[in-house]
Amino acid sequence: MKKILCLICLFSISFYSCAVRNYLNSKSDLNEDRVFYGQMINKGQNAGWFNVPAHLVRNTEHLAIYIQTKFHKDYKGEQNVSLYALNKLAQEFDYYYTSMTNIYGTHSDIDGNGKIIILLMDINVNKGAGSQVLGYFNPMDMHGYNEGEILYMDISNANNKTDNAIGTIIHEFQHLINYSYVMSGARNEMDSWLNEALSESTSILFNKATAESRINEFNKINYYCFYTWDIPTNISNNGKPNTHVNYPSASVFMNWLYQKNGSNETIFKTIASSKELGDYNKVLSAAKGISGLSGATWDSLLLNWMSEIVTNGSNWNTTNKPTNNLASGNVDLYPGAMVVCDSCSNSGTSANIVKTNVNGKTIVLNKDTNLKGPAVNVSVTNSQTTSSKARTRRSAIRNDNNGESRDINILLDRNGNIKKY
Protein backbone atom coordinates (compact mmCIF):
# COMPACT_ATOMS: atom_id res chain seq x y z
CA MET A 1 0.00 0.00 0.00
CA LYS A 2 2.86 2.34 0.86
CA LYS A 3 4.44 1.63 -2.55
CA ILE A 4 1.19 2.50 -4.28
CA LEU A 5 0.89 5.76 -2.33
CA CYS A 6 4.49 6.65 -3.18
CA LEU A 7 3.86 5.98 -6.86
CA ILE A 8 0.73 8.14 -6.75
CA CYS A 9 2.67 10.96 -5.05
CA LEU A 10 5.50 10.76 -7.55
CA PHE A 11 3.04 10.77 -10.44
CA SER A 12 1.22 13.74 -8.93
CA ILE A 13 4.42 15.69 -8.44
CA SER A 14 5.56 14.86 -11.96
CA PHE A 15 2.18 15.84 -13.41
CA TYR A 16 2.14 19.07 -11.39
CA SER A 17 5.68 19.96 -12.49
CA CYS A 18 4.83 19.34 -16.14
CA ALA A 19 1.66 21.39 -15.83
CA VAL A 20 3.53 24.32 -14.30
CA ARG A 21 6.28 24.06 -16.90
CA ASN A 22 3.75 23.95 -19.73
CA TYR A 23 1.85 26.89 -18.25
CA LEU A 24 5.01 28.96 -17.96
CA ASN A 25 6.12 28.03 -21.47
CA SER A 26 2.76 28.93 -22.97
CA LYS A 27 2.79 32.24 -21.15
CA SER A 28 6.37 33.27 -21.91
CA ASP A 29 6.80 31.59 -25.29
CA LEU A 30 10.52 32.32 -25.15
CA ASN A 31 12.72 29.88 -27.02
CA GLU A 32 16.24 29.50 -25.66
CA ASP A 33 17.59 29.73 -29.20
CA ARG A 34 16.03 31.62 -32.07
CA VAL A 35 16.99 33.52 -35.20
CA PHE A 36 16.25 37.25 -35.46
CA TYR A 37 16.31 39.38 -38.57
CA GLY A 38 18.54 42.32 -37.68
CA GLN A 39 19.95 45.38 -39.38
CA MET A 40 23.60 46.43 -39.37
CA ILE A 41 24.67 50.06 -39.58
CA ASN A 42 27.68 51.66 -41.23
CA LYS A 43 28.37 55.25 -40.11
CA GLY A 44 24.70 56.05 -39.69
CA GLN A 45 23.55 54.31 -42.87
CA ASN A 46 21.78 50.97 -43.36
CA ALA A 47 24.41 48.32 -44.14
CA GLY A 48 21.95 45.49 -44.83
CA TRP A 49 19.71 42.94 -43.14
CA PHE A 50 20.96 39.62 -41.78
CA ASN A 51 19.75 36.52 -39.95
CA VAL A 52 21.10 36.72 -36.39
CA PRO A 53 21.10 33.45 -34.42
CA ALA A 54 20.88 34.22 -30.71
CA HIS A 55 20.69 32.54 -27.31
CA LEU A 56 18.55 33.58 -24.32
CA VAL A 57 20.91 34.59 -21.50
CA ARG A 58 18.67 36.45 -19.05
CA ASN A 59 14.94 36.36 -18.27
CA THR A 60 13.75 38.98 -15.79
CA GLU A 61 10.42 40.47 -14.76
CA HIS A 62 10.25 42.76 -17.79
CA LEU A 63 13.11 41.62 -20.02
CA ALA A 64 14.26 38.71 -22.13
CA ILE A 65 17.87 39.29 -23.14
CA TYR A 66 19.30 37.40 -26.10
CA ILE A 67 22.90 37.46 -27.28
CA GLN A 68 24.10 36.88 -30.83
CA THR A 69 25.90 33.56 -31.17
CA LYS A 70 27.17 33.69 -34.72
CA PHE A 71 26.95 35.89 -37.75
CA HIS A 72 27.08 35.09 -41.51
CA LYS A 73 30.39 34.27 -43.25
CA ASP A 74 32.58 36.47 -41.04
CA TYR A 75 31.65 34.66 -37.85
CA LYS A 76 34.74 34.13 -35.69
CA GLY A 77 33.20 32.81 -32.50
CA GLU A 78 30.50 33.72 -30.02
CA GLN A 79 30.39 37.36 -28.99
CA ASN A 80 30.23 37.78 -25.24
CA VAL A 81 28.90 40.56 -23.09
CA SER A 82 30.45 41.18 -19.67
CA LEU A 83 28.54 40.01 -16.62
CA TYR A 84 28.75 43.56 -15.25
CA ALA A 85 27.08 45.04 -18.35
CA LEU A 86 24.43 42.31 -18.46
CA ASN A 87 23.53 42.69 -14.79
CA LYS A 88 23.46 46.49 -14.93
CA LEU A 89 21.27 46.49 -18.04
CA ALA A 90 18.77 44.08 -16.52
CA GLN A 91 18.69 45.79 -13.13
CA GLU A 92 18.33 49.35 -14.40
CA PHE A 93 15.72 48.55 -17.03
CA ASP A 94 13.58 46.61 -14.55
CA TYR A 95 14.07 49.28 -11.89
CA TYR A 96 12.91 52.14 -14.14
CA TYR A 97 10.32 50.18 -16.13
CA THR A 98 7.28 51.20 -14.07
CA SER A 99 8.31 54.87 -13.99
CA MET A 100 8.87 54.88 -17.76
CA THR A 101 5.52 53.30 -18.54
CA ASN A 102 3.75 55.65 -16.12
CA ILE A 103 5.22 58.65 -17.94
CA TYR A 104 5.31 57.61 -21.60
CA GLY A 105 2.52 55.04 -21.64
CA THR A 106 2.07 51.29 -21.90
CA HIS A 107 3.45 49.20 -24.72
CA SER A 108 1.93 46.47 -26.83
CA ASP A 109 2.55 42.74 -26.34
CA ILE A 110 2.00 41.31 -29.81
CA ASP A 111 4.08 38.20 -29.12
CA GLY A 112 2.19 37.52 -25.87
CA ASN A 113 5.27 36.90 -23.73
CA GLY A 114 4.88 39.93 -21.47
CA LYS A 115 8.50 40.92 -22.08
CA ILE A 116 10.63 43.45 -23.89
CA ILE A 117 13.26 41.53 -25.85
CA ILE A 118 16.75 42.98 -26.00
CA LEU A 119 19.01 41.50 -28.66
CA LEU A 120 22.71 42.07 -28.06
CA MET A 121 24.32 41.87 -31.50
CA ASP A 122 26.99 43.33 -33.74
CA ILE A 123 25.28 46.48 -35.02
CA ASN A 124 28.20 48.47 -36.39
CA VAL A 125 30.10 47.30 -39.45
CA ASN A 126 33.21 49.30 -38.52
CA LYS A 127 33.80 48.63 -34.84
CA GLY A 128 35.46 51.54 -33.04
CA ALA A 129 35.93 53.55 -36.24
CA GLY A 130 33.76 56.50 -37.24
CA SER A 131 30.22 56.96 -35.96
CA GLN A 132 28.86 54.21 -33.72
CA VAL A 133 25.20 53.31 -33.10
CA LEU A 134 24.72 51.99 -29.56
CA GLY A 135 21.23 50.64 -30.21
CA TYR A 136 17.97 51.06 -32.08
CA PHE A 137 14.28 50.13 -32.29
CA ASN A 138 12.81 48.87 -35.55
CA PRO A 139 9.03 49.44 -35.96
CA MET A 140 8.92 46.66 -38.57
CA ASP A 141 9.16 44.16 -35.72
CA MET A 142 5.69 45.23 -34.61
CA HIS A 143 3.95 44.11 -37.78
CA GLY A 144 6.27 41.66 -39.49
CA TYR A 145 9.73 40.16 -39.44
CA ASN A 146 10.46 39.29 -35.79
CA GLU A 147 6.92 39.98 -34.52
CA GLY A 148 7.63 41.26 -31.07
CA GLU A 149 8.68 44.18 -28.89
CA ILE A 150 12.43 44.20 -29.54
CA LEU A 151 15.28 46.59 -28.82
CA TYR A 152 18.70 46.11 -30.41
CA MET A 153 21.89 46.81 -28.48
CA ASP A 154 25.46 46.78 -29.80
CA ILE A 155 27.57 44.17 -27.99
CA SER A 156 30.96 45.87 -28.01
CA ASN A 157 29.55 49.21 -26.87
CA ALA A 158 27.50 47.48 -24.18
CA ASN A 159 30.82 46.33 -22.75
CA ASN A 160 32.87 49.47 -23.37
CA LYS A 161 30.25 52.20 -22.82
CA THR A 162 27.81 50.47 -20.51
CA ASP A 163 26.13 53.55 -19.00
CA ASN A 164 25.65 55.29 -22.34
CA ALA A 165 24.48 52.06 -23.99
CA ILE A 166 21.84 51.62 -21.27
CA GLY A 167 20.82 55.24 -21.80
CA THR A 168 20.36 54.43 -25.49
CA ILE A 169 18.16 51.40 -24.71
CA ILE A 170 15.99 53.54 -22.43
CA HIS A 171 15.86 56.15 -25.21
CA GLU A 172 14.76 53.48 -27.70
CA PHE A 173 12.17 52.11 -25.27
CA GLN A 174 10.30 55.41 -25.52
CA HIS A 175 10.27 54.97 -29.31
CA LEU A 176 8.81 51.47 -28.85
CA ILE A 177 6.09 52.74 -26.51
CA ASN A 178 5.35 55.62 -28.85
CA TYR A 179 4.94 53.30 -31.81
CA SER A 180 2.70 50.96 -29.80
CA TYR A 181 0.12 53.74 -29.65
CA VAL A 182 0.49 54.40 -33.38
CA MET A 183 -0.07 50.69 -34.11
CA SER A 184 -3.19 50.63 -31.93
CA GLY A 185 -4.59 53.75 -33.60
CA ALA A 186 -4.73 55.60 -30.27
CA ARG A 187 -2.29 58.29 -31.40
CA ASN A 188 -1.10 59.80 -34.64
CA GLU A 189 2.53 59.22 -35.53
CA MET A 190 4.71 62.00 -34.14
CA ASP A 191 7.13 64.02 -36.19
CA SER A 192 10.74 62.91 -35.74
CA TRP A 193 11.72 65.95 -33.68
CA LEU A 194 9.10 65.40 -30.97
CA ASN A 195 9.54 61.62 -30.88
CA GLU A 196 13.27 62.16 -30.42
CA ALA A 197 12.80 64.96 -27.89
CA LEU A 198 10.66 62.66 -25.73
CA SER A 199 13.31 59.95 -26.00
CA GLU A 200 15.92 62.50 -24.97
CA SER A 201 13.85 63.28 -21.88
CA THR A 202 14.33 59.67 -20.69
CA SER A 203 18.03 60.28 -20.04
CA ILE A 204 17.22 63.47 -18.13
CA LEU A 205 15.19 61.31 -15.75
CA PHE A 206 16.97 57.97 -15.81
CA ASN A 207 20.48 58.17 -17.29
CA LYS A 208 22.83 60.89 -16.09
CA ALA A 209 25.70 59.80 -18.37
CA THR A 210 23.70 60.43 -21.54
CA ALA A 211 22.19 63.71 -20.31
CA GLU A 212 25.63 65.06 -19.41
CA SER A 213 27.09 64.00 -22.75
CA ARG A 214 24.35 65.99 -24.50
CA ILE A 215 25.17 69.11 -22.49
CA ASN A 216 28.84 68.71 -23.37
CA GLU A 217 27.92 68.45 -27.06
CA PHE A 218 25.61 71.46 -26.75
CA ASN A 219 28.46 73.59 -25.43
CA LYS A 220 30.53 72.84 -28.55
CA ILE A 221 27.98 74.02 -31.13
CA ASN A 222 26.79 77.50 -32.08
CA TYR A 223 23.73 76.54 -34.15
CA TYR A 224 20.75 75.40 -32.11
CA CYS A 225 17.98 73.39 -33.75
CA PHE A 226 15.84 70.35 -32.97
CA TYR A 227 12.63 71.24 -34.83
CA THR A 228 14.02 70.65 -38.34
CA TRP A 229 15.35 67.13 -37.87
CA ASP A 230 16.60 66.54 -41.40
CA ILE A 231 19.17 69.29 -41.07
CA PRO A 232 22.13 69.28 -43.49
CA THR A 233 25.29 67.97 -41.88
CA ASN A 234 27.41 70.77 -43.34
CA ILE A 235 25.79 73.60 -41.37
CA SER A 236 28.74 75.74 -40.35
CA ASN A 237 29.39 79.26 -39.13
CA ASN A 238 32.44 81.07 -37.84
CA GLY A 239 34.60 78.17 -38.92
CA LYS A 240 32.89 75.77 -36.53
CA PRO A 241 31.27 72.68 -38.07
CA ASN A 242 27.88 71.89 -36.51
CA THR A 243 27.32 68.39 -37.82
CA HIS A 244 25.35 67.08 -34.84
CA VAL A 245 23.06 69.79 -33.51
CA ASN A 246 19.70 68.04 -33.17
CA TYR A 247 20.17 65.68 -30.23
CA PRO A 248 22.03 68.07 -27.89
CA SER A 249 19.57 70.87 -28.72
CA ALA A 250 16.58 68.61 -28.05
CA SER A 251 18.05 67.29 -24.81
CA VAL A 252 18.95 70.71 -23.39
CA PHE A 253 15.54 72.12 -24.37
CA MET A 254 13.69 69.26 -22.65
CA ASN A 255 15.98 69.64 -19.64
CA TRP A 256 15.06 73.33 -19.50
CA LEU A 257 11.34 72.50 -19.57
CA TYR A 258 11.90 69.96 -16.80
CA GLN A 259 13.71 72.54 -14.65
CA LYS A 260 11.02 75.17 -15.33
CA ASN A 261 8.43 72.62 -14.21
CA GLY A 262 10.12 72.27 -10.83
CA SER A 263 12.05 69.13 -11.84
CA ASN A 264 8.72 67.34 -12.18
CA GLU A 265 8.43 64.69 -14.89
CA THR A 266 4.72 65.38 -15.41
CA ILE A 267 5.71 67.80 -18.19
CA PHE A 268 6.89 64.84 -20.28
CA LYS A 269 3.79 62.79 -19.48
CA THR A 270 1.59 65.70 -20.55
CA ILE A 271 3.44 66.03 -23.86
CA ALA A 272 3.42 62.28 -24.55
CA SER A 273 -0.33 61.92 -23.98
CA SER A 274 -1.40 65.21 -25.58
CA LYS A 275 -4.26 65.16 -28.09
CA GLU A 276 -3.31 68.56 -29.54
CA LEU A 277 -3.13 68.78 -33.31
CA GLY A 278 0.30 69.80 -34.53
CA ASP A 279 3.24 68.46 -32.55
CA TYR A 280 4.61 71.86 -31.61
CA ASN A 281 1.21 72.57 -30.04
CA LYS A 282 1.66 69.52 -27.80
CA VAL A 283 4.81 71.07 -26.37
CA LEU A 284 3.38 74.58 -26.27
CA SER A 285 0.20 73.48 -24.51
CA ALA A 286 2.20 71.59 -21.87
CA ALA A 287 4.56 74.54 -21.38
CA LYS A 288 1.65 76.91 -20.78
CA GLY A 289 0.94 75.00 -17.57
CA ILE A 290 4.28 76.20 -16.18
CA SER A 291 4.39 79.39 -14.15
CA GLY A 292 5.70 82.27 -16.25
CA LEU A 293 5.01 80.54 -19.58
CA SER A 294 1.20 80.68 -19.64
CA GLY A 295 1.12 83.23 -22.46
CA ALA A 296 3.88 81.66 -24.53
CA THR A 297 3.78 81.35 -28.29
CA TRP A 298 6.04 78.88 -30.13
CA ASP A 299 8.62 81.51 -31.01
CA SER A 300 8.55 83.16 -27.58
CA LEU A 301 9.02 79.74 -25.95
CA LEU A 302 12.14 79.05 -28.01
CA LEU A 303 13.51 82.56 -27.45
CA ASN A 304 12.77 82.30 -23.72
CA TRP A 305 14.75 79.04 -23.58
CA MET A 306 17.76 80.45 -25.39
CA SER A 307 17.61 83.72 -23.46
CA GLU A 308 18.00 81.84 -20.18
CA ILE A 309 20.84 79.79 -21.62
CA VAL A 310 22.62 82.96 -22.76
CA THR A 311 22.11 84.52 -19.33
CA ASN A 312 22.86 81.57 -17.07
CA GLY A 313 24.39 78.85 -19.22
CA SER A 314 23.12 75.28 -19.22
CA ASN A 315 23.86 75.43 -15.52
CA TRP A 316 22.60 71.97 -14.55
CA ASN A 317 26.23 70.79 -14.55
CA THR A 318 28.24 73.40 -16.44
CA THR A 319 28.60 77.17 -16.69
CA ASN A 320 29.43 77.35 -20.39
CA LYS A 321 27.29 79.74 -22.39
CA PRO A 322 26.56 80.31 -26.09
CA THR A 323 28.28 83.69 -25.60
CA ASN A 324 31.55 81.74 -25.56
CA ASN A 325 30.79 80.41 -29.03
CA LEU A 326 29.09 83.14 -31.08
CA ALA A 327 27.98 82.79 -34.68
CA SER A 328 29.39 84.87 -37.50
CA GLY A 329 28.92 85.20 -41.26
CA ASN A 330 26.09 84.12 -43.56
CA VAL A 331 23.98 81.47 -41.87
CA ASP A 332 21.10 79.39 -43.21
CA LEU A 333 18.44 79.22 -40.51
CA TYR A 334 16.06 76.28 -40.94
CA PRO A 335 12.63 76.26 -39.27
CA GLY A 336 13.11 76.35 -35.50
CA ALA A 337 16.84 77.10 -35.75
CA MET A 338 18.65 79.79 -33.75
CA VAL A 339 22.07 81.39 -33.49
CA VAL A 340 23.52 83.77 -30.92
CA CYS A 341 25.64 86.66 -32.19
CA ASP A 342 26.71 90.21 -31.46
CA SER A 343 24.38 91.60 -34.10
CA CYS A 344 22.28 90.67 -37.10
CA SER A 345 22.92 93.18 -39.88
CA ASN A 346 19.99 91.96 -41.95
CA SER A 347 17.23 89.42 -41.66
CA GLY A 348 16.38 89.06 -45.32
CA THR A 349 12.80 89.56 -46.36
CA SER A 350 11.30 86.67 -44.42
CA ALA A 351 8.69 87.47 -41.78
CA ASN A 352 9.75 84.25 -40.02
CA ILE A 353 12.99 85.77 -38.78
CA VAL A 354 12.63 87.20 -35.27
CA LYS A 355 15.29 88.61 -32.92
CA THR A 356 15.69 89.44 -29.28
CA ASN A 357 18.52 91.13 -27.38
CA VAL A 358 19.81 89.60 -24.16
CA ASN A 359 22.82 90.82 -22.15
CA GLY A 360 24.16 92.68 -25.16
CA LYS A 361 23.84 89.67 -27.45
CA THR A 362 21.32 88.99 -30.21
CA ILE A 363 19.38 85.76 -30.60
CA VAL A 364 18.11 85.19 -34.14
CA LEU A 365 15.35 82.62 -34.76
CA ASN A 366 13.50 81.24 -37.75
CA LYS A 367 10.04 80.76 -36.19
CA ASP A 368 8.57 78.90 -39.19
CA THR A 369 6.55 75.86 -38.04
CA ASN A 370 6.50 74.26 -41.49
CA LEU A 371 8.77 71.23 -41.09
CA LYS A 372 9.74 71.34 -44.74
CA GLY A 373 9.98 75.11 -44.90
CA PRO A 374 13.01 76.68 -46.59
CA ALA A 375 16.08 77.92 -44.78
CA VAL A 376 16.41 81.69 -44.51
CA ASN A 377 19.85 83.16 -44.94
CA VAL A 378 20.86 85.78 -42.38
CA SER A 379 24.06 87.73 -41.96
CA VAL A 380 25.32 87.87 -38.39
CA THR A 381 28.45 89.36 -36.84
CA ASN A 382 30.73 88.55 -33.94
CA SER A 383 32.94 91.42 -32.79
CA GLN A 384 35.40 88.97 -31.25
CA THR A 385 35.87 86.92 -34.40
CA THR A 386 39.50 86.01 -34.81
CA SER A 387 41.54 86.56 -37.94
CA SER A 388 40.77 84.67 -41.13
CA LYS A 389 44.02 82.72 -40.82
CA ALA A 390 43.26 81.71 -37.23
CA ARG A 391 39.70 80.73 -38.16
CA THR A 392 41.01 78.52 -40.95
CA ARG A 393 43.47 76.86 -38.58
CA ARG A 394 40.77 76.29 -35.95
CA SER A 395 38.33 75.01 -38.57
CA ALA A 396 40.88 72.47 -39.74
CA ILE A 397 41.37 71.23 -36.20
CA ARG A 398 37.65 70.89 -35.66
CA ASN A 399 37.17 69.07 -38.94
CA ASP A 400 39.89 66.61 -37.94
CA ASN A 401 38.15 66.05 -34.62
CA ASN A 402 34.87 65.63 -36.43
CA GLY A 403 36.21 62.41 -37.95
CA GLU A 404 36.76 60.83 -34.53
CA SER A 405 34.56 58.04 -33.26
CA ARG A 406 31.31 59.29 -31.76
CA ASP A 407 27.97 57.88 -30.70
CA ILE A 408 24.99 58.60 -32.91
CA ASN A 409 21.28 57.74 -32.82
CA ILE A 410 19.06 56.65 -35.68
CA LEU A 411 15.27 56.67 -35.96
CA LEU A 412 13.71 54.02 -38.20
CA ASP A 413 10.30 54.26 -39.85
CA ARG A 414 7.73 51.48 -40.19
CA ASN A 415 9.56 50.17 -43.25
CA GLY A 416 12.91 49.97 -41.50
CA ASN A 417 14.34 52.99 -43.30
CA ILE A 418 16.14 55.80 -41.49
CA LYS A 419 13.50 58.43 -40.85
CA LYS A 420 14.02 62.14 -41.44
CA TYR A 421 10.91 64.20 -40.84
Side-chain angles (χ1 to χ4, degrees), residues 186-240:
R187 297 178 189 169
N188 293 325
E189 189 166 0
M190 287 182 179
D191 296 321
S192 295
W193 72 268
L194 183 54
N195 197 346
E196 291 287 15
L198 281 172
S199 281
E200 284 299 304
S201 73
T202 64
S203 61
I204 294 165
L205 300 175
F206 309 119
N207 192 261
K208 183 178 179 180
T210 302
E212 288 185 349
S213 71
R214 297 303 195 207
I215 293 174
N216 290 333
E217 292 172 5
F218 183 85
N219 289 327
K220 295 175 183 177
I221 61 177
N222 60 0
Y223 187 100
Y224 312 100
C225 182
F226 60 88
Y227 187 75
T228 300
W229 203 258
D230 186 31
I231 197 166
T233 58
N234 63 348
I235 283 292
S236 176
N237 51 76
N238 199 19
K240 301 171 183 179

Side-chain angles (χ1 to χ4, degrees), residues 336-350:
M338 285 180 285
V339 291
V340 180
C341 57
D342 277 324
S343 64
C344 179
S345 58
N346 69 67
S347 57
T349 58
S350 175

